[in-house]
Amino acid sequence: MKKINFKSFPDKNGHFKDYGGKYVSETLMYPLEELEKAYNKIAKSPAFKKELLNELHNYVGRPTPMYHASRISKDLGSCNIYLKREDLNHTGAHKINNAMGQAMLAKKMGKKRIIAETGAGQHGVATATACARYNLECVVYMGSDDIQRQKVNVYRMKLLGAKVIPVDSGSRTLKDALNEALRDWVSNVDDTHYIIGSVAGPHPYPMIVRDFQSVIGTESKSQMKKINKKVDILVACVGGGSNAIGLFYPYLNDNVAIYGVEAGGFGLNTNKHAAPLNKGKPGILHGNKTYIMENSNGQIESTHSISAGLDYPGVGPEHSLLKDLNRVKYVSVTDKEALKAFYYLTEQEGIIPALETAHALAYAFKLARKQSKKNILINLSGRGDKDIDTIATLQGIVI
Amino acid sequence: MNRIAQVFKEKETAFITYLICGDPDIRSTEKIMHQMVKSGVDIIELGVPFTDPIADGPTIQRGVERCLQKNISLTDVFTLIKNFRKKDLSTPIVIMGYMNPINKMGVHKFAKKAKLIGVDGVLIVDLPPEESMLINQLLRENNLDQIFLASPTTKSSRLKKIIDMSSGYLYYVSLKGITGSSISDFSELKKRVIYIKKTSNNNLPITVGFGIKNSVIAKNISKFADGIIIGSSIVELIEKNLKNKKVMFNKINLFIKDISRSLASK
């Protein structure tokens, strides 16, 4: 059988085979084309790459460490667990990798105003930060339910000079914030760039965000090489899937087992989860074709996850392709399992992970218990400071 | 000649209205449709409620949410049209909506069913020509028109592609923005519409929608466009009079008559 080059997508029309594409109203076709052209011309130039690398090094704090979690490795059996410490990035998550790249691109495109959507607030904070750095006006759309559960991040964005606009339509979460940001963009395309925070949205976004996040996997490869270790298993959490694709992409053609972990919420057999790759069907949402959660009428269903960042009914189209090609195995972890992993890592390694990341940890720990002598690399995509309120409330503590 | 072509042959400026199926309820939608026809509407675009209407402004979004609370589906849209056709065999109906509910039903089934119950055209807001290959072919096979959008940002090379795939009419979005916004520059709009007509060799009626809120704007645009489309203003009249349907029907009727008169008197 002919070997598939997993890194040959998307095609020139933005399709990942059946998935991806540009399912948008006519008004957005021109700005998307303009963005794609600018991206190919500016962002792929050696000068841009050099400048971005310099920014990532001096401003963001890259390369992030590759940490061998020896206590938990030993406690769980014979596997070695490595953590790619994206939580140690400036602003505390992988989101800044993409925000910096796109803000720099927007500035060079002559845009004055940046809009973004955010769920947990991490992408909003990262975008607000990059906008402060590059002197760009910043407007962040956030579902009013998410504003309630992520108050600290809302305040951070305001301190950074961003305007946070609550979104009261639909399910008042990430998907509705994305709708509102798209509406803003349609109305203000001349001076505004939209920084999508995940590998979702219409082409070229899934490609651009993946490329900017791929620094995670590229760094990981060279770091593991340096310590002479071969990675056997990669694990990352998948909401929209940007941290996951960032880690996976550089490894796609390598002999490595890859797991993407979706939010199982109260369990896949309830309807309270956010696992479209496990339980959804291909459909069209937010400008692309991908696995989504919908009802029998094709209406998008509201999702549930303990982590706002995974609470999304769609997923990046490249993940849909990787699922169909059986290149990545998409699994899920419940709220409860994620919480357990959250406490475990905090107590055993002194690292407080984001609740999103805790999903990847929970599944990786399961694997570590079952497998022997494997090197497991987990994308520690973000730190858990933003979730402290949620955790304390669960424990019945008022901070 | 199909019903849509017939309208553009007979009318100098076609009067097209949009309303959401099930707003404020299914029976009222049908009643408003018949009443609209009586008062001078030529083509009705019937909206399919969808949870994530990315091209619509707040007024239509709220209308859609009203319908979703009652679980109005694409199947209900078909049922409504079937009932409407029992009394009206001449007014063209265009189904307007987003791709996912159609995808869920299955495009083959959708096209067949639409033809069977008397739909004339289909406008899928988030389906540009690039993603329309299959459905365009299926609609053609069933003698249904696919209406596409063109916007102020559409470049001439794409415009040709859009016109090639369009039949029935072209829906020119008058402004950069969402439904319910306001038009600011009429002379620019006129230039664009005339340019698009030329590009299509006058073979495709060019209609204008978005931002037409009263008879003055409607009349202005009717001087150069083949049709005008009004949506948000009607949905707003429904929303403002939810408590009294009699008043609602009456106000919509007066509004429609006013626009209709202004189109006739140019």
Side-chain angles (χ1 to χ4, degrees), chain A residues 323-352:
Chain A
K323 172 194 159 75
D324 284 6
L325 294 175
N326 276 320
R327 177 60 192 101
V328 177
K329 196 164 175 357
Y330 292 94
V331 295
S332 76
V333 147
T334 62
D335 287 352
K336 262 192 191 156
E337 292 170 306
L339 268 172
K340 220 170 131 190
F342 171 92
Y343 291 123
Y344 182 66
L345 189 79
T346 303
E347 287 158 13
Q348 297 283 317
E349 295 285 352
I351 298 169
I352 303 179

PDB file of all heavy atoms in Angstrom, chain A residues 323-352:
ATOM      1  N   LYS A 323      -8.605  11.322  12.036  1.00  0.00           N
ATOM      2  CA  LYS A 323      -9.446  10.266  12.611  1.00  0.00           C
ATOM      3  C   LYS A 323      -9.823   9.268  11.523  1.00  0.00           C
ATOM      4  O   LYS A 323      -9.634   8.072  11.681  1.00  0.00           O
ATOM      5  CB  LYS A 323     -10.715  10.871  13.217  1.00  0.00           C
ATOM      6  CG  LYS A 323     -11.741   9.824  13.657  1.00  0.00           C
ATOM      7  CD  LYS A 323     -13.097  10.467  13.930  1.00  0.00           C
ATOM      8  CE  LYS A 323     -14.224   9.463  13.870  1.00  0.00           C
ATOM      9  NZ  LYS A 323     -14.287   8.580  15.034  1.00  0.00           N
ATOM     10  N   ASP A 324     -10.348   9.773  10.390  1.00  0.00           N
ATOM     11  CA  ASP A 324     -10.788   8.882   9.314  1.00  0.00           C
ATOM     12  C   ASP A 324      -9.630   8.054   8.759  1.00  0.00           C
ATOM     13  O   ASP A 324      -9.819   6.921   8.330  1.00  0.00           O
ATOM     14  CB  ASP A 324     -11.429   9.684   8.176  1.00  0.00           C
ATOM     15  CG  ASP A 324     -12.830  10.154   8.532  1.00  0.00           C
ATOM     16  OD1 ASP A 324     -13.235   9.954   9.697  1.00  0.00           O
ATOM     17  OD2 ASP A 324     -13.512  10.716   7.650  1.00  0.00           O
ATOM     18  N   LEU A 325      -8.423   8.647   8.739  1.00  0.00           N
ATOM     19  CA  LEU A 325      -7.255   7.926   8.223  1.00  0.00           C
ATOM     20  C   LEU A 325      -6.653   6.987   9.267  1.00  0.00           C
ATOM     21  O   LEU A 325      -5.654   6.325   9.022  1.00  0.00           O
ATOM     22  CB  LEU A 325      -6.182   8.921   7.762  1.00  0.00           C
ATOM     23  CG  LEU A 325      -6.508   9.813   6.557  1.00  0.00           C
ATOM     24  CD1 LEU A 325      -5.393  10.819   6.320  1.00  0.00           C
ATOM     25  CD2 LEU A 325      -6.753   8.979   5.307  1.00  0.00           C
ATOM     26  N   ASN A 326      -7.270   7.015  10.449  1.00  0.00           N
ATOM     27  CA  ASN A 326      -6.757   6.196  11.563  1.00  0.00           C
ATOM     28  C   ASN A 326      -5.335   6.554  11.972  1.00  0.00           C
ATOM     29  O   ASN A 326      -4.618   5.716  12.524  1.00  0.00           O
ATOM     30  CB  ASN A 326      -6.791   4.707  11.224  1.00  0.00           C
ATOM     31  CG  ASN A 326      -8.157   4.119  11.488  1.00  0.00           C
ATOM     32  OD1 ASN A 326      -8.774   4.470  12.506  1.00  0.00           O
ATOM     33  ND2 ASN A 326      -8.623   3.286  10.591  1.00  0.00           N
ATOM     34  N   ARG A 327      -4.910   7.765  11.686  1.00  0.00           N
ATOM     35  CA  ARG A 327      -3.551   8.153  12.074  1.00  0.00           C
ATOM     36  C   ARG A 327      -3.503   8.524  13.547  1.00  0.00           C
ATOM     37  O   ARG A 327      -2.520   8.279  14.238  1.00  0.00           O
ATOM     38  CB  ARG A 327      -3.053   9.338  11.209  1.00  0.00           C
ATOM     39  CG  ARG A 327      -1.666   9.849  11.586  1.00  0.00           C
ATOM     40  CD  ARG A 327      -0.632   8.734  11.440  1.00  0.00           C
ATOM     41  NE  ARG A 327       0.666   9.036  12.028  1.00  0.00           N
ATOM     42  CZ  ARG A 327       1.077   8.592  13.201  1.00  0.00           C
ATOM     43  NH1 ARG A 327       0.278   7.851  13.960  1.00  0.00           N
ATOM     44  NH2 ARG A 327       2.294   8.872  13.646  1.00  0.00           N
ATOM     45  N   VAL A 328      -4.566   9.174  14.023  1.00  0.00           N
ATOM     46  CA  VAL A 328      -4.634   9.550  15.436  1.00  0.00           C
ATOM     47  C   VAL A 328      -5.825   8.839  16.051  1.00  0.00           C
ATOM     48  O   VAL A 328      -6.875   8.733  15.435  1.00  0.00           O
ATOM     49  CB  VAL A 328      -4.803  11.084  15.594  1.00  0.00           C
ATOM     50  CG1 VAL A 328      -4.960  11.468  17.069  1.00  0.00           C
ATOM     51  CG2 VAL A 328      -3.620  11.828  14.975  1.00  0.00           C
ATOM     52  N   LYS A 329      -5.626   8.344  17.253  1.00  0.00           N
ATOM     53  CA  LYS A 329      -6.744   7.704  17.940  1.00  0.00           C
ATOM     54  C   LYS A 329      -7.373   8.749  18.860  1.00  0.00           C
ATOM     55  O   LYS A 329      -6.681   9.339  19.701  1.00  0.00           O
ATOM     56  CB  LYS A 329      -6.225   6.510  18.755  1.00  0.00           C
ATOM     57  CG  LYS A 329      -7.305   5.570  19.171  1.00  0.00           C
ATOM     58  CD  LYS A 329      -6.684   4.244  19.623  1.00  0.00           C
ATOM     59  CE  LYS A 329      -7.602   3.232  20.190  1.00  0.00           C
ATOM     60  NZ  LYS A 329      -8.873   3.207  20.457  1.00  0.00           N
ATOM     61  N   TYR A 330      -8.672   9.005  18.668  1.00  0.00           N
ATOM     62  CA  TYR A 330      -9.350  10.000  19.496  1.00  0.00           C
ATOM     63  C   TYR A 330     -10.160   9.303  20.575  1.00  0.00           C
ATOM     64  O   TYR A 330     -10.997   8.461  20.282  1.00  0.00           O
ATOM     65  CB  TYR A 330     -10.214  10.920  18.627  1.00  0.00           C
ATOM     66  CG  TYR A 330      -9.339  11.786  17.742  1.00  0.00           C
ATOM     67  CD1 TYR A 330      -9.025  11.383  16.441  1.00  0.00           C
ATOM     68  CD2 TYR A 330      -8.768  12.957  18.224  1.00  0.00           C
ATOM     69  CE1 TYR A 330      -8.184  12.147  15.633  1.00  0.00           C
ATOM     70  CE2 TYR A 330      -7.921  13.730  17.439  1.00  0.00           C
ATOM     71  CZ  TYR A 330      -7.639  13.315  16.140  1.00  0.00           C
ATOM     72  OH  TYR A 330      -6.791  14.063  15.363  1.00  0.00           O
ATOM     73  N   VAL A 331      -9.827   9.623  21.805  1.00  0.00           N
ATOM     74  CA  VAL A 331     -10.434   8.978  22.956  1.00  0.00           C
ATOM     75  C   VAL A 331     -11.073  10.063  23.812  1.00  0.00           C
ATOM     76  O   VAL A 331     -11.052  11.238  23.450  1.00  0.00           O
ATOM     77  CB  VAL A 331      -9.360   8.218  23.757  1.00  0.00           C
ATOM     78  CG1 VAL A 331      -8.792   7.067  22.939  1.00  0.00           C
ATOM     79  CG2 VAL A 331      -8.233   9.177  24.182  1.00  0.00           C
ATOM     80  N   SER A 332     -11.638   9.698  24.929  1.00  0.00           N
ATOM     81  CA  SER A 332     -12.205  10.737  25.787  1.00  0.00           C
ATOM     82  C   SER A 332     -12.000  10.415  27.259  1.00  0.00           C
ATOM     83  O   SER A 332     -11.726   9.272  27.632  1.00  0.00           O
ATOM     84  CB  SER A 332     -13.691  10.912  25.492  1.00  0.00           C
ATOM     85  OG  SER A 332     -14.415   9.851  26.069  1.00  0.00           O
ATOM     86  N   VAL A 333     -12.131  11.456  28.045  1.00  0.00           N
ATOM     87  CA  VAL A 333     -11.922  11.349  29.481  1.00  0.00           C
ATOM     88  C   VAL A 333     -13.026  12.168  30.145  1.00  0.00           C
ATOM     89  O   VAL A 333     -13.382  13.248  29.652  1.00  0.00           O
ATOM     90  CB  VAL A 333     -10.512  11.917  29.792  1.00  0.00           C
ATOM     91  CG1 VAL A 333     -10.459  12.586  31.141  1.00  0.00           C
ATOM     92  CG2 VAL A 333      -9.445  10.841  29.668  1.00  0.00           C
ATOM     93  N   THR A 334     -13.615  11.655  31.219  1.00  0.00           N
ATOM     94  CA  THR A 334     -14.729  12.377  31.862  1.00  0.00           C
ATOM     95  C   THR A 334     -14.211  13.520  32.743  1.00  0.00           C
ATOM     96  O   THR A 334     -13.026  13.598  33.064  1.00  0.00           O
ATOM     97  CB  THR A 334     -15.554  11.431  32.752  1.00  0.00           C
ATOM     98  OG1 THR A 334     -14.696  10.942  33.798  1.00  0.00           O
ATOM     99  CG2 THR A 334     -16.119  10.264  31.958  1.00  0.00           C
ATOM    100  N   ASP A 335     -15.152  14.378  33.138  1.00  0.00           N
ATOM    101  CA  ASP A 335     -14.830  15.460  34.084  1.00  0.00           C
ATOM    102  C   ASP A 335     -14.108  14.897  35.311  1.00  0.00           C
ATOM    103  O   ASP A 335     -13.102  15.433  35.768  1.00  0.00           O
ATOM    104  CB  ASP A 335     -16.126  16.141  34.573  1.00  0.00           C
ATOM    105  CG  ASP A 335     -16.764  17.020  33.512  1.00  0.00           C
ATOM    106  OD1 ASP A 335     -16.146  17.238  32.451  1.00  0.00           O
ATOM    107  OD2 ASP A 335     -17.894  17.505  33.752  1.00  0.00           O
ATOM    108  N   LYS A 336     -14.676  13.826  35.846  1.00  0.00           N
ATOM    109  CA  LYS A 336     -14.155  13.238  37.084  1.00  0.00           C
ATOM    110  C   LYS A 336     -12.720  12.760  36.922  1.00  0.00           C
ATOM    111  O   LYS A 336     -11.864  13.012  37.766  1.00  0.00           O
ATOM    112  CB  LYS A 336     -15.026  12.039  37.491  1.00  0.00           C
ATOM    113  CG  LYS A 336     -16.048  12.379  38.538  1.00  0.00           C
ATOM    114  CD  LYS A 336     -16.651  11.085  39.084  1.00  0.00           C
ATOM    115  CE  LYS A 336     -17.863  11.460  39.940  1.00  0.00           C
ATOM    116  NZ  LYS A 336     -18.821  10.364  40.048  1.00  0.00           N
ATOM    117  N   GLU A 337     -12.476  12.044  35.800  1.00  0.00           N
ATOM    118  CA  GLU A 337     -11.119  11.530  35.555  1.00  0.00           C
ATOM    119  C   GLU A 337     -10.130  12.681  35.393  1.00  0.00           C
ATOM    120  O   GLU A 337      -8.985  12.607  35.862  1.00  0.00           O
ATOM    121  CB  GLU A 337     -11.106  10.654  34.296  1.00  0.00           C
ATOM    122  CG  GLU A 337     -11.880   9.357  34.439  1.00  0.00           C
ATOM    123  CD  GLU A 337     -12.058   8.622  33.104  1.00  0.00           C
ATOM    124  OE1 GLU A 337     -12.566   9.241  32.141  1.00  0.00           O
ATOM    125  OE2 GLU A 337     -11.694   7.437  33.031  1.00  0.00           O
ATOM    126  N   ALA A 338     -10.586  13.732  34.709  1.00  0.00           N
ATOM    127  CA  ALA A 338      -9.707  14.886  34.498  1.00  0.00           C
ATOM    128  C   ALA A 338      -9.354  15.540  35.835  1.00  0.00           C
ATOM    129  O   ALA A 338      -8.203  15.900  36.078  1.00  0.00           O
ATOM    130  CB  ALA A 338     -10.379  15.891  33.568  1.00  0.00           C
ATOM    131  N   LEU A 339     -10.357  15.651  36.701  1.00  0.00           N
ATOM    132  CA  LEU A 339     -10.118  16.253  38.016  1.00  0.00           C
ATOM    133  C   LEU A 339      -9.108  15.457  38.821  1.00  0.00           C
ATOM    134  O   LEU A 339      -8.223  16.019  39.479  1.00  0.00           O
ATOM    135  CB  LEU A 339     -11.434  16.308  38.804  1.00  0.00           C
ATOM    136  CG  LEU A 339     -12.232  17.597  38.651  1.00  0.00           C
ATOM    137  CD1 LEU A 339     -13.586  17.439  39.328  1.00  0.00           C
ATOM    138  CD2 LEU A 339     -11.471  18.782  39.244  1.00  0.00           C
ATOM    139  N   LYS A 340      -9.240  14.139  38.742  1.00  0.00           N
ATOM    140  CA  LYS A 340      -8.332  13.259  39.472  1.00  0.00           C
ATOM    141  C   LYS A 340      -6.889  13.482  38.995  1.00  0.00           C
ATOM    142  O   LYS A 340      -5.960  13.593  39.799  1.00  0.00           O
ATOM    143  CB  LYS A 340      -8.748  11.798  39.234  1.00  0.00           C
ATOM    144  CG  LYS A 340      -8.655  10.934  40.474  1.00  0.00           C
ATOM    145  CD  LYS A 340      -9.298   9.591  40.214  1.00  0.00           C
ATOM    146  CE  LYS A 340      -8.355   8.487  40.666  1.00  0.00           C
ATOM    147  NZ  LYS A 340      -8.794   7.158  40.246  1.00  0.00           N
ATOM    148  N   ALA A 341      -6.749  13.580  37.679  1.00  0.00           N
ATOM    149  CA  ALA A 341      -5.414  13.811  37.108  1.00  0.00           C
ATOM    150  C   ALA A 341      -4.883  15.187  37.502  1.00  0.00           C
ATOM    151  O   ALA A 341      -3.681  15.380  37.724  1.00  0.00           O
ATOM    152  CB  ALA A 341      -5.465  13.675  35.591  1.00  0.00           C
ATOM    153  N   PHE A 342      -5.792  16.134  37.593  1.00  0.00           N
ATOM    154  CA  PHE A 342      -5.423  17.496  38.006  1.00  0.00           C
ATOM    155  C   PHE A 342      -4.783  17.463  39.401  1.00  0.00           C
ATOM    156  O   PHE A 342      -3.691  17.996  39.623  1.00  0.00           O
ATOM    157  CB  PHE A 342      -6.685  18.375  38.006  1.00  0.00           C
ATOM    158  CG  PHE A 342      -6.503  19.743  38.602  1.00  0.00           C
ATOM    159  CD1 PHE A 342      -6.151  20.825  37.798  1.00  0.00           C
ATOM    160  CD2 PHE A 342      -6.682  19.965  39.968  1.00  0.00           C
ATOM    161  CE1 PHE A 342      -5.993  22.095  38.335  1.00  0.00           C
ATOM    162  CE2 PHE A 342      -6.517  21.229  40.523  1.00  0.00           C
ATOM    163  CZ  PHE A 342      -6.168  22.293  39.701  1.00  0.00           C
ATOM    164  N   TYR A 343      -5.464  16.818  40.342  1.00  0.00           N
ATOM    165  CA  TYR A 343      -4.929  16.751  41.710  1.00  0.00           C
ATOM    166  C   TYR A 343      -3.613  15.980  41.740  1.00  0.00           C
ATOM    167  O   TYR A 343      -2.666  16.342  42.422  1.00  0.00           O
ATOM    168  CB  TYR A 343      -5.930  16.069  42.653  1.00  0.00           C
ATOM    169  CG  TYR A 343      -7.170  16.884  42.908  1.00  0.00           C
ATOM    170  CD1 TYR A 343      -8.439  16.379  42.634  1.00  0.00           C
ATOM    171  CD2 TYR A 343      -7.087  18.176  43.460  1.00  0.00           C
ATOM    172  CE1 TYR A 343      -9.582  17.125  42.875  1.00  0.00           C
ATOM    173  CE2 TYR A 343      -8.226  18.932  43.708  1.00  0.00           C
ATOM    174  CZ  TYR A 343      -9.473  18.395  43.411  1.00  0.00           C
ATOM    175  OH  TYR A 343     -10.598  19.130  43.653  1.00  0.00           O
ATOM    176  N   TYR A 344      -3.577  14.903  40.986  1.00  0.00           N
ATOM    177  CA  TYR A 344      -2.419  14.006  40.996  1.00  0.00           C
ATOM    178  C   TYR A 344      -1.152  14.717  40.529  1.00  0.00           C
ATOM    179  O   TYR A 344      -0.119  14.679  41.198  1.00  0.00           O
ATOM    180  CB  TYR A 344      -2.731  12.793  40.104  1.00  0.00           C
ATOM    181  CG  TYR A 344      -1.643  11.748  40.040  1.00  0.00           C
ATOM    182  CD1 TYR A 344      -1.307  10.995  41.177  1.00  0.00           C
ATOM    183  CD2 TYR A 344      -0.972  11.482  38.845  1.00  0.00           C
ATOM    184  CE1 TYR A 344      -0.318  10.025  41.105  1.00  0.00           C
ATOM    185  CE2 TYR A 344       0.012  10.506  38.766  1.00  0.00           C
ATOM    186  CZ  TYR A 344       0.343   9.784  39.903  1.00  0.00           C
ATOM    187  OH  TYR A 344       1.319   8.828  39.843  1.00  0.00           O
ATOM    188  N   LEU A 345      -1.251  15.403  39.421  1.00  0.00           N
ATOM    189  CA  LEU A 345      -0.064  16.093  38.903  1.00  0.00           C
ATOM    190  C   LEU A 345       0.357  17.220  39.859  1.00  0.00           C
ATOM    191  O   LEU A 345       1.542  17.421  40.118  1.00  0.00           O
ATOM    192  CB  LEU A 345      -0.308  16.683  37.507  1.00  0.00           C
ATOM    193  CG  LEU A 345       0.969  17.206  36.856  1.00  0.00           C
ATOM    194  CD1 LEU A 345       1.797  16.062  36.267  1.00  0.00           C
ATOM    195  CD2 LEU A 345       0.698  18.247  35.765  1.00  0.00           C
ATOM    196  N   THR A 346      -0.640  17.917  40.383  1.00  0.00           N
ATOM    197  CA  THR A 346      -0.361  19.020  41.304  1.00  0.00           C
ATOM    198  C   THR A 346       0.409  18.515  42.525  1.00  0.00           C
ATOM    199  O   THR A 346       1.440  19.071  42.916  1.00  0.00           O
ATOM    200  CB  THR A 346      -1.684  19.683  41.746  1.00  0.00           C
ATOM    201  OG1 THR A 346      -2.379  20.114  40.579  1.00  0.00           O
ATOM    202  CG2 THR A 346      -1.429  20.890  42.637  1.00  0.00           C
ATOM    203  N   GLU A 347      -0.084  17.424  43.101  1.00  0.00           N
ATOM    204  CA  GLU A 347       0.519  16.909  44.325  1.00  0.00           C
ATOM    205  C   GLU A 347       1.836  16.187  44.075  1.00  0.00           C
ATOM    206  O   GLU A 347       2.769  16.285  44.866  1.00  0.00           O
ATOM    207  CB  GLU A 347      -0.469  15.957  45.024  1.00  0.00           C
ATOM    208  CG  GLU A 347      -1.625  16.715  45.673  1.00  0.00           C
ATOM    209  CD  GLU A 347      -2.851  15.831  45.896  1.00  0.00           C
ATOM    210  OE1 GLU A 347      -2.722  14.585  45.774  1.00  0.00           O
ATOM    211  OE2 GLU A 347      -3.937  16.395  46.158  1.00  0.00           O
ATOM    212  N   GLN A 348       1.934  15.479  42.953  1.00  0.00           N
ATOM    213  CA  GLN A 348       3.115  14.647  42.716  1.00  0.00           C
ATOM    214  C   GLN A 348       4.280  15.380  42.057  1.00  0.00           C
ATOM    215  O   GLN A 348       5.432  15.009  42.241  1.00  0.00           O
ATOM    216  CB  GLN A 348       2.751  13.442  41.836  1.00  0.00           C
ATOM    217  CG  GLN A 348       1.749  12.491  42.440  1.00  0.00           C
ATOM    218  CD  GLN A 348       2.377  11.591  43.494  1.00  0.00           C
ATOM    219  OE1 GLN A 348       3.464  11.064  43.323  1.00  0.00           O
ATOM    220  NE2 GLN A 348       1.688  11.415  44.610  1.00  0.00           N
ATOM    221  N   GLU A 349       3.942  16.390  41.243  1.00  0.00           N
ATOM    222  CA  GLU A 349       5.020  17.053  40.509  1.00  0.00           C
ATOM    223  C   GLU A 349       5.118  18.549  40.782  1.00  0.00           C
ATOM    224  O   GLU A 349       6.018  19.224  40.277  1.00  0.00           O
ATOM    225  CB  GLU A 349       4.852  16.835  38.985  1.00  0.00           C
ATOM    226  CG  GLU A 349       5.001  15.389  38.544  1.00  0.00           C
ATOM    227  CD  GLU A 349       6.452  14.886  38.530  1.00  0.00           C
ATOM    228  OE1 GLU A 349       7.378  15.701  38.722  1.00  0.00           O
ATOM    229  OE2 GLU A 349       6.655  13.676  38.348  1.00  0.00           O
ATOM    230  N   GLY A 350       4.154  19.064  41.539  1.00  0.00           N
ATOM    231  CA  GLY A 350       4.195  20.502  41.809  1.00  0.00           C
ATOM    232  C   GLY A 350       3.875  21.339  40.589  1.00  0.00           C
ATOM    233  O   GLY A 350       4.362  22.453  40.424  1.00  0.00           O
ATOM    234  N   ILE A 351       3.073  20.781  39.707  1.00  0.00           N
ATOM    235  CA  ILE A 351       2.637  21.526  38.522  1.00  0.00           C
ATOM    236  C   ILE A 351       1.109  21.538  38.507  1.00  0.00           C
ATOM    237  O   ILE A 351       0.476  20.475  38.493  1.00  0.00           O
ATOM    238  CB  ILE A 351       3.149  20.854  37.218  1.00  0.00           C
ATOM    239  CG1 ILE A 351       4.675  20.843  37.189  1.00  0.00           C
ATOM    240  CG2 ILE A 351       2.588  21.576  35.985  1.00  0.00           C
ATOM    241  CD1 ILE A 351       5.270  19.983  36.078  1.00  0.00           C
ATOM    242  N   ILE A 352       0.527  22.738  38.546  1.00  0.00           N
ATOM    243  CA  ILE A 352      -0.935  22.839  38.490  1.00  0.00           C
ATOM    244  C   ILE A 352      -1.348  23.004  37.028  1.00  0.00           C
ATOM    245  O   ILE A 352      -1.107  24.040  36.428  1.00  0.00           O
ATOM    246  CB  ILE A 352      -1.452  24.041  39.325  1.00  0.00           C
ATOM    247  CG1 ILE A 352      -0.988  23.921  40.772  1.00  0.00           C
ATOM    248  CG2 ILE A 352      -2.973  24.133  39.252  1.00  0.00           C
ATOM    249  CD1 ILE A 352      -1.424  25.064  41.686  1.00  0.00           C
TER     250      ILE A 352
END
